[in-house]
């Protein structure tokens, strides 16, 4: 497995790696949290998605949740000193009890970090909502009320907004003139953020990082190309996309040959502003696009909130060799600031190693940081997955 090589390379040049990371970090703001879906093929390891407003923190193992409290305290002491009255701004998913397990866990961790936390949505409510999460936890959701250039919730004027709302909808009227700091910032919401920008930054950082540790950059990179003329109902647009897919497959075949990889290349087509696993499909060649059925085209037509998909990325597919109790899986790693906070294995018994696992039917399996340390004797996966996530977080910053 490639983990052994990557781990040894990092450990052997750890001082240089840490100096490189410190230099690349200068002048950057690191958001409060993030998560990364990582694909591990046994020959390469790379993120295939990044979330700045992660919504599954309840799925990280209890041991890591406990240790996250000190990480949160350290983050606030260094990045948000003086902020103690916290507005936890959430999505409006009032009918999704699983989302509220995430919110309940996040509120608990912030509270245990000695912060005063209120949960609210950027919408006026006649009265607070009393919700129950999937695990039976009670949550009171208030209105986040604008008062001049500040925001109040349940009579408390917030020092800081911790956002768990991904701002697919910009809520522009609500944020206009707001001086209360927001972390992660509103500008990183899906109304503005694009996947191709993230992967461009990530791949450049991965190449620089690999120069430091003397590693082939192909091992940590994921080829990604923007297609900006996407109209799923337009035959000419689909034909241009099909040609782009064939070009990428041809390029990947050449790279596979150079790296003596016996696999067959494939790609994912993804909504460039997508979240929740929507607007994602896997293809093996351009003809797969040319022959999209009505059902396939419908899948690639709308994103979260019914918005039209206007841009897509064509991304190198990385198969996964990771399994959870015999089921196809992939690690998702959570960061608080620059610190590895935990993660889980997303598993799907109906999906194969080349398919997207972020789809209905996925289940979440235990993946503690302590487990990673012993997965490969003497070569902790924590180091490998942790540094891949750090490179992703640096790209976000």
């Amino acid at each position: 497995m490639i983990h052994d090589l990557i781990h040894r390379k990092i450990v052997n040049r750890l001082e240089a790696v840490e100096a490189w990371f410190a230099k690349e970090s200068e002048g950057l703001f690191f958001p409060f949290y993030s998560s990364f879906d990582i694909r591990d093929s046994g020959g390469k390891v790379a993120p295939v998605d990044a979330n700045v407003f992660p919504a599954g923190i309840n799925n990280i193992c209890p041991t890591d949740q406990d240790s996250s409290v000190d990480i949160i305290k350290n983050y606030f002491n260094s990045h948000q000193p003086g902020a103690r009255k916290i507005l936890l701004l959430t999505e409006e998913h009032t009918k999704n009890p699983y989302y509220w397990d995430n919110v309940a866990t996040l509120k608990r961790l912030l509270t245990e970090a000695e912060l005063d936390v209120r949960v609210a949505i950027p919408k006026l409510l006649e009265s607070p909502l009393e919700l129950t999460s999937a695990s039976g936890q009670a949550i009171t959701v208030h209105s986040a009320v604008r008062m001049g250039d500040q925001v109040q919730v349940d009579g408390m004027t917030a020092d800081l907004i911790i956002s768990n709302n991904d701002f697919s909808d910009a809520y522009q009227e609500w944020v206009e003139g707001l001086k209360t700091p927001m972390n992660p910032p509103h500008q990183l919401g899906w109304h503005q953020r694009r996947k191709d920008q993230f992967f461009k930054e990530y791949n450049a950082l991965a190449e620089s990082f690999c120069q430091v540790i003397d590693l082939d950059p192909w091992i940590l990179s994921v080829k990604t190309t923007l297609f900006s003329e996407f109209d799923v109902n337009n035959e000419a647009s689909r034909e241009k996309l099909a040609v782009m897919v064939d070009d990428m497959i041809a390029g990947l075949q050449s790279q596979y040959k150079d790296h003596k990889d016996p696999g067959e290349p494939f790609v994912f087509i993804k909504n460039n502003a997508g979240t929740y696993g929507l607007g994602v499909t896997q293809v093996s060649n351009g003809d797969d696009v040319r022959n999209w059925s009505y059902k396939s085209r419908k899948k690639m037509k709308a994103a979260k909130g019914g918005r039209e998909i206007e841009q897509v990325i064509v991304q190198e597919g990385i198969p996964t060799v990771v399994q959870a109790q015999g089921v196809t899986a992939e690690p998702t790693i959570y960061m608080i600031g620059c610190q590895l906070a935990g993660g889980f294995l997303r598993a799907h018994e109906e999906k194969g190693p080349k398919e997207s696992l972020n789809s209905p039917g996925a289940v979440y399996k235990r993946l503690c940081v302590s487990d990673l340390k012993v997965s490969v004797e003497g070569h902790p996966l924590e180091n490998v997955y942790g540094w891949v996530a750090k490179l992703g977080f640096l790209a976000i910053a």
Side-chain angles (χ1 to χ4, degrees):
M1 289 290 187
I2 202 68
H3 320 113
D4 297 11
L5 174 65
I6 302 171
H7 173 70
R8 286 196 299 269
K9 293 276 191 180
I10 293 171
V11 170
N12 289 342
R13 304 192 180 201
L14 188 57
E15 188 174 329
V17 164
E18 290 178 340
W20 173 87
F21 189 84
K23 185 175 184 300
E24 291 290 339
S25 301
E26 286 179 2
L28 299 182
F29 173 77
F30 286 91
F32 173 58
Y33 52 10
S34 61
S35 69
F36 301 90
D37 295 342
I38 294 175
R39 283 288 193 146
D40 178 353
S41 72
K44 67 187 309 179
V45 184
V48 293
D49 204 4
N51 200 337
V52 186
F53 307 90
I57 202 164
N58 55 299
N59 293 313
I60 70 176
C61 84
T63 301
D64 289 342
Q65 288 184 28
D66 291 343
S67 61
S68 292
V69 174
D70 283 337
I71 299 176
I72 291 171
K73 286 181 179 179
N74 291 336
Y75 178 87
F76 269 76
N77 287 338
S78 59
H79 291 79
Q80 303 284 177
R84 286 295 175 264
K85 296 177 181 179
I86 309 301
L87 160 56
L88 177 54
L89 193 74
T90 70
E91 299 279 1
E92 296 183 31
H93 300 323
T94 54
K95 295 181 180 179
N96 182 350
Y98 296 98
Y99 173 72
W100 296 102
D101 269 336
N102 159 72
V103 173
T105 301
L106 187 52
K107 181 178 186 293
R108 175 176 59 80
L109 296 179
L110 290 165
T111 301
E112 290 178 3
E114 301 173 1
L115 301 168
D116 187 0
V117 186
R118 305 283 196 282
V119 176
I121 58 177
K123 179 179 180 179
L124 287 176
L125 301 168
E126 291 184 6
S127 60
L129 301 175
E130 301 296 339
L131 304 179
T132 303
S133 76
S135 63
Q137 299 179 76
I139 305 164
T140 301
V141 181
H142 303 272
S143 292
V145 181
R146 282 293 304 272
M147 302 293 287
D149 58 10
Q150 296 183 312
V151 61
Q152 285 191 352
V153 54
D154 191 28
M156 179 190 79
T157 300
D159 298 327
L160 174 70
I161 301 166
I162 293 291
S163 181
N164 200 246
N165 186 312
D166 66 22
F167 291 112
S168 293
D169 183 338
Y171 290 92
Q172 199 61 48
E173 187 175 332
W174 188 82
V175 300
E176 194 73 38
L178 181 66
K179 289 189 177 179
T180 305
M182 188 183 300
N183 189 346
H186 175 258
Q187 294 94 322
L188 283 176
W190 280 120
H191 68 283
Q192 182 167 302
R193 182 161 53 104
R194 297 293 179 264
K195 291 181 187 291
D196 71 297
Q197 296 169 356
F198 167 78
F199 286 107
K200 180 180 178 181
E201 294 289 347
Y202 170 81
N203 284 328
L205 288 165
E207 183 170 1
S208 178
F209 178 79
C210 286
Q211 289 175 357
V212 174
I213 64 173
D214 189 28
L215 183 73
D216 182 351
W218 183 80
I219 293 171
L220 295 184
S221 64
V222 54
K223 189 172 183 180
T224 305
T225 304
L226 172 67
F227 181 67
S228 59
E229 305 171 49
F230 185 72
D231 180 349
V232 72
N233 292 321
N234 182 284
E235 187 176 351
S237 174
R238 295 198 304 272
E239 176 59 29
K240 288 181 181 179
L241 178 60
V243 170
M244 180 177 284
V245 167
D246 282 333
D247 287 346
M248 180 174 283
I249 292 290
L252 291 173
Q253 285 173 333
S254 177
Q255 289 183 332
Y256 274 39
K257 184 177 180 180
D258 291 344
H259 291 88
K260 298 180 172 57
D261 188 322
E264 287 293 326
F266 62 101
V267 301
F268 280 101
I269 298 171
K270 301 180 179 180
N271 179 9
N272 198 29
T275 185
Y276 291 108
L278 300 173
V280 177
T281 193
Q282 181 231 323
V283 299
S284 298
N285 52 55
D287 285 342
D288 287 346
V289 176
R290 295 182 180 98
N291 298 327
W292 269 346
S293 64
Y294 172 78
K295 182 178 179 181
S296 298
R297 293 198 302 272
K298 184 178 179 181
K299 181 180 179 182
M300 293 302 297
K301 182 176 176 62
K304 180 185 173 187
R307 293 171 188 79
E308 293 279 326
I309 298 176
E310 298 176 348
Q311 294 183 340
V312 294
I313 56 170
V314 179
Q315 185 171 77
E316 169 189 0
I318 301 176
T320 177
V321 296
V322 179
Q323 291 198 333
Q325 299 170 331
V327 176
T328 303
E330 66 186 10
T332 293
I333 300 298
Y334 276 67
M335 305 283 288
I336 294 174
C338 292
Q339 300 301 308
L340 181 61
F344 52 81
L345 290 175
R346 180 186 286 111
H348 205 307
E349 62 181 8
E350 297 177 5
K351 300 291 185 179
K354 289 186 175 183
E355 296 179 88
S356 172
L357 306 185
N358 189 7
S359 58
V363 295
Y364 304 98
K365 303 287 188 179
R366 171 189 165 108
L367 177 68
C368 293
V369 171
S370 55
D371 295 334
L372 292 176
K373 292 178 181 176
V374 296
S375 293
V376 180
E377 187 64 29
H379 303 290
L381 286 174
E382 177 188 4
N383 201 30
V384 177
Y385 293 160
W387 271 102
V388 168
K390 274 192 169 187
L391 291 175
F393 202 38
L394 189 57
I396 288 171

